[in-house]
Amino acid sequence: MTLKSGAKLHQQTMNNQTLTELQKKIDAGVKIAIAEAIEKHRRLGQSISIWQDGKVVTLTADQIPPLDREKQPTETN
C-alpha cells in the first residue's frame, strides 16, 4: 500500500463514519416526527391507518396509545 492509497482509504473510512452518524441523526429525526404526528392525530381525535398483520387497519383516536415522551428517540448532536 502506498502513502497515497493509504490516505485515500483513511478518507473513505472517515466519510463512511460521517455518513453513518448522519444516517443515525436522520433516522432519529424521522422517528420523532412520526411519533409527534401520531400524537397530534390522537389529541385532535383523528384516526390513523397502519399496516398490521399484512392488512391496513384504521385506529380511532381512542385506540392510539399516548406518546410516551420518555421512550421517544432523541436526536443526537
Side-chain angles (χ1 to χ4, degrees), residues 1-2 7 9 17-18 21-22 24 26-28 34 37 40 43 46 48-49 51-53 57 62 64-65 67 74-75:
M1 179 183 304
T2 66
L9 179 61
Q17 289 172 347
T18 301
E21 289 303 313
L22 180 58
K24 288 178 184 178
I26 291 169
D27 188 49
I34 291 169
K40 181 177 179 181
R43 282 183 291 131
Q46 300 171 338
I48 60 169
S49 295
W51 187 259
Q52 185 177 29
D53 300 326
V57 177
D62 293 336
I64 302 170
L67 178 62
T74 57
E75 187 177 353

Side-chain angles (χ1 to χ4, degrees), residues 58-75:
T58 300
L59 302 177
T60 64
D62 293 336
Q63 295 171 315
I64 302 170
L67 178 62
D68 185 350
R69 298 216 182 258
E70 291 181 11
K71 291 185 179 179
Q72 187 176 2
T74 57
E75 187 177 353

